[in-house]
Every structure is written in structure tokens, then in C-alpha cells.
Amino acid sequence: MALTDTALRSAKPQPKAKKLFDGGGLFLLITPTGHKYWRYKYRFTGKEKLLALGVYPDVSLAAARQKRDKARAKVAAGFDPSEAKKIEKRSAKLNADNTFKAVALDWLEERKSTVEIAQHEKTSARLENDVFPWLGKRPIKEIDAPEILLVLKRIDKRGARFTAHRVRSEISRVFRYAIKEGKAESDPAKDLIGAIPPAVGTHFAAITDPKKVGEMLRAFDGFSGTFPVHCALKLAPMLFVRPGELRKAEWNQFDLDKGEWRYLVSKTKTEHLVPLSTQAVAILRELQALTGRGRYVFPGGRSVDRPMSDAAINAALRRLGYDTRTEITGHGFRAMARTILHEELEQKPEVIEHQLAHAVPDNLGAAYNRTKFIKERRLMMQSWADYLERQKVGAEIIPLSVAAS
């Protein structure tokens, strides 16, 4: 006789376990302690087996019958429902371990010891508030670029464009971590570079796509102009100073042994220090053999008593095939460095701004302090030169963080 809800509700426990049969192999097992478990009895390859279908009343009679019917269908099709259930459990656990949130938390934990606690907490908060609610439960392998773009647009729409760029970069790093751990095969966030308009508007064209940066640096090697202009072309993105300051650079401002360039910023009339990477020093030493006896690092083509033309860098870029109105300008290297240093290399905005010689008020009210963050700036400038070198040779990008001084 088929079971009824009334019979199930009124069934009392006995000293020994009791079975109430419904039909088709379905029965309710009532334990001496009063617990009620649904079971499905079936035969597979000649062996009698039991499949757990849940607990009554959490699983109703109707629900239990539906589960029984599905299990019977699997048996009829030649599949063992018990084994299928085990596979589903394993798959569910695997998916749970490989959700975007699970992978992101593992990535955060791995990098925690290499960044400042405040930076770790800010990154965690951004992911928790802006990413996990929409991507957190999704298997990371199934997430595509359009899904990520929706997350970024949601952030951008509330007026937090800078955060949108920051989040894109962090999502990208989660995917790169997942690739390393064998939990993803590609980084869809990488394809979204430039999908959100720049956080800081600029009148100067700039290249911020790492792949295109590498292409540009390789193109520099093919420059056939004068050696001083060639050196200026290679140093411009590496040092990212204002073009006028680069072309007017004087040898007495440099200490190549210390790896320093000190000069007076023309725009703010303040002293500025540019830490020189090993790559920059190597270029300058080679150039010093040619122009070191004169005043200017980059003398003009017509007279060594004058610096090179203010149009020299842009002319060199155009000579290499770049449109200085829409692609890159000498001044655009500053925007390029500012964007990539923050988004790709995770450098602090205040450190970048000081290296750009921008007026950044500090807690003492000073508009600019040329020695502030100097240790971090030295490390940043070397990291930046190393990054450019990797892009040039097409090597894998490894984000670097600067430790606190």
C-alpha cells in the first residue's frame, strides 16, 4: 500500500528500526531515536543496493518519489545511481573549491606576506564589495570577459572609474594565479584593458596596453637617427619625466655611480630626484662617451651648446610610424607609466605622483617633498625598467610590489 503524509506524520519510533514501504523500492526508515530517512532499494549488476534520498519531513513524500523515479531511470539506462551521486558530490566539491571567490581568497592569502597590511585589506574589501556578489560563486573556468565587463561597468557607473581600473587589474591577477594553480586556462580580464575609459583624462596620446608597449620598445631598436636621439627615445619611457626636462638634461646633474639625476622642475621650481635604474645608467654611460665633455646630455644636431629640439622625440616617434596625435607622444610616456605602474605593478598612487614631480600635499602642508618615498621610488624605478625590459623581449609579466620603507 502506498504511503500517505498522514501515515508518515503519525508514524512512531519502535525499539528496533522500522521500514514503511511506498512502492518501487522506496521506503522510509524510522530509527529508534525517531529520525526518518528516505531510502531507495534497487539491484545493479545483480547486487542489492541502497540510495539515501534525504530526511523526512525536509524531503516530502512527493519529493522522495521524484528522486526515486530519477534513480530508477538511471538504473534502467545502465547507470548506478549511487556512483552517480558520488560523482556529483565530487564535482560539486571541486566546483566549490574552484569558484572565483575561493581562488581569489587563496591568491590574497599567498600575496599577503608580500604587501602592506593596508594594501591587503583594501584589495580584499574591493573584491568583497564589488566582485564577489556577482562572480564569487561562479566556477572560475566559466567566467568570460563580458561578465567581468558588467562588474567593471557597475563600478564605473557609480563614478568610481579609478576603482574600476584597479578591480580589473586585481581580477586579472586572480586569473593569472588560477592559471598557475591549474584552475583556469586563460585570463579574460586581460582582454578588457582599455574597455573602461582612462581614470585620469589627459591631452596627450599614450599607449597603456602592455603588449603594445613591448611592440613600441622593439620598434625603438630599429631607429636609424642620431645616437643621442636614440638614447633619449629609450630613456623617455624609462624615466617618464617631462619632455622638456629630458631634452635639457645636463651632465652636471647626474651621478651615475649613485644612480641619481637631480634637477630643478621647470613647472614647479622645486628640486627633483630621479632614481636611475641599472638599465638607465647603462644607456647614459654609453652616451657619456660621446657627449660627456659638453654641457648637455642630448645636444642639438647643429650646435653642442644647445639642447636637442623640443620636437626631436615626437619626430623620432613619427619616423617609426607612430601617430603623435592619437597613439603616443613624448609627454604620453608619463601617462603610460602612471597607468601601468598602478594597475599592473601595484605601486602606490602617492609614490607614483611624487616620482612624476606632481604637487602632492603631505600631512605637514608641503606641496612637494623631493625626498619623500625615496626608498620606495628607487625600488619602483628599477621594477619599472625591469618590466619594460620584459615587455620588450615578450617575457611573462610578474607583478612586483614595493615594500614599505
Side-chain angles (χ1 to χ4, degrees):
M1 181 182 295
L3 294 174
T4 64
D5 283 316
T6 301
L8 294 173
R9 286 194 299 269
S10 60
K12 304 297 182 184
Q14 303 294 325
K16 292 184 178 181
K18 179 181 179 182
K19 298 177 182 178
L20 301 179
F21 292 92
D22 183 62
L26 177 66
F27 65 89
L28 187 72
L29 176 67
I30 305 175
T31 67
T33 56
H35 293 98
K36 300 177 180 180
Y37 301 102
W38 288 113
R39 297 289 186 265
Y40 167 56
K41 183 171 69 174
Y42 65 100
R43 298 188 71 84
F44 191 81
T45 62
K47 296 180 181 179
E48 185 174 286
K49 292 191 169 187
L50 285 177
L51 177 66
L53 301 181
V55 180
Y56 180 84
D58 295 340
V59 176
S60 66
L61 175 59
R65 286 171 176 168
Q66 287 180 347
K67 290 188 175 188
R68 172 201 61 195
D69 293 342
K70 288 181 180 179
R72 290 181 70 182
K74 289 179 180 178
V75 173
F79 297 102
D80 185 347
S82 292
E83 289 303 314
K85 186 176 182 180
K86 290 178 183 177
I87 292 172
E88 288 172 2
K89 280 187 175 181
R90 285 197 296 269
S91 178
K93 185 179 185 306
L94 184 63
N95 286 336
D97 291 341
N98 290 345
T99 61
F100 181 86
K101 182 174 182 177
V103 175
L105 292 177
D106 287 344
W107 168 70
L108 285 168
E109 187 62 31
E110 181 182 79
R111 76 194 283 268
K112 188 175 182 179
S113 62
T114 64
V115 299
E116 293 181 13
I117 187 62
Q119 185 179 353
H120 170 77
E121 290 174 350
K122 287 178 182 178
T123 302
S124 299
R126 279 192 292 267
L127 291 174
E128 192 69 46
N129 297 328
D130 291 320
V131 183
F132 291 165
W134 293 275
L135 299 181
K137 295 181 180 179
R138 297 274 289 124
I140 195 164
K141 276 189 175 182
E142 297 179 9
I143 297 173
D144 56 18
E147 282 185 89
I148 298 171
L149 184 57
L150 286 175
V151 170
L152 302 181
K153 285 183 175 179
R154 189 177 289 111
I155 299 169
D156 186 44
K157 191 174 291 186
R158 71 168 189 256
R161 181 159 290 175
F162 193 84
T163 299
H165 284 278
R166 179 77 251 143
V167 167
R168 186 215 63 79
S169 181
E170 288 163 350
I171 291 175
S172 183
R173 275 189 278 278
V174 172
F175 272 95
R176 293 205 290 266
Y177 171 81
I179 293 169
K180 183 191 76 170
E181 297 296 317
K183 296 182 177 182
E185 297 174 357
S186 61
D187 172 16
K190 181 180 178 182
D191 299 326
L192 295 175
I193 294 175
I196 299 295
V200 180
T202 175
H203 298 296
F204 302 99
I207 293 173
T208 56
D209 183 335
K211 182 179 179 182
K212 291 183 178 180
V213 169
E215 292 173 354
M216 178 185 66
L217 297 176
R218 289 190 290 272
F220 287 1
D221 285 343
F223 180 70
S224 58
T226 66
F227 188 63
V229 174
H230 192 189
C231 290
L233 196 60
K234 291 192 290 185
L235 287 168
M238 197 178 297
L239 304 182
F240 54 90
V241 296
R242 293 178 178 89
E245 291 156 355
L246 181 67
R247 75 181 186 87
K248 294 178 182 177
E250 300 180 18
W251 280 117
N252 62 12
Q253 300 168 340
F254 288 83
D255 187 330
L256 298 185
D257 292 330
K258 289 184 178 180
E260 295 180 349
W261 173 22
R262 297 172 182 267
Y263 64 89
L264 193 67
V265 177
S266 55
K267 188 174 183 178
T268 58
K269 304 303 179 185
T270 53
E271 290 186 353
H272 185 48
L273 169 62
V274 178
L276 302 174
S277 64
T278 56
Q279 294 91 332
V281 170
I283 294 170
L284 287 164
R285 286 195 185 280
E286 191 174 5
L287 180 60
Q288 192 176 41
L290 178 65
T291 69
R293 292 184 179 181
R295 175 183 177 184
Y296 294 105
V297 178
F298 309 102
R302 295 182 180 180
S303 171
V304 295
D305 296 325
R306 297 175 63 85
M308 70 180 184
S309 164
D310 59 359
I313 293 292
N314 283 350
L317 289 169
R318 287 193 294 271
R319 192 169 175 176
L320 290 171
Y322 285 94
D323 188 332
T324 53
R325 293 173 301 175
T326 61
E327 291 183 282
I328 186 67
T329 68
H331 207 290
F333 292 126
R334 290 167 64 76
M336 180 183 89
R338 185 183 196 178
T339 300
I340 298 177
L341 278 169
H342 185 68
E343 291 192 11
E344 293 297 319
L345 301 187
E346 295 190 278
Q347 304 300 316
K348 298 176 184 176
E350 59 269 29
V351 177
I352 300 170
E353 294 304 305
H354 271 77
Q355 192 53 55
L356 286 164
H358 286 165
V360 184
D362 60 20
N363 56 4
L364 298 177
Y368 176 72
N369 183 342
R370 71 175 175 83
T371 62
K372 194 166 186 180
F373 303 116
I374 190 60
K375 181 180 179 181
E376 291 174 292
R377 284 159 57 193
R378 288 185 190 279
L379 292 172
M380 182 182 74
M381 293 301 281
Q382 185 60 55
S383 298
W384 173 239
D386 292 341
Y387 174 89
L388 293 177
E389 192 170 346
R390 288 195 298 274
Q391 301 315 302
K392 181 179 173 181
V393 300
E396 181 182 357
I397 304 168
I398 303 173
L400 298 173
S401 297
V402 173
S405 57

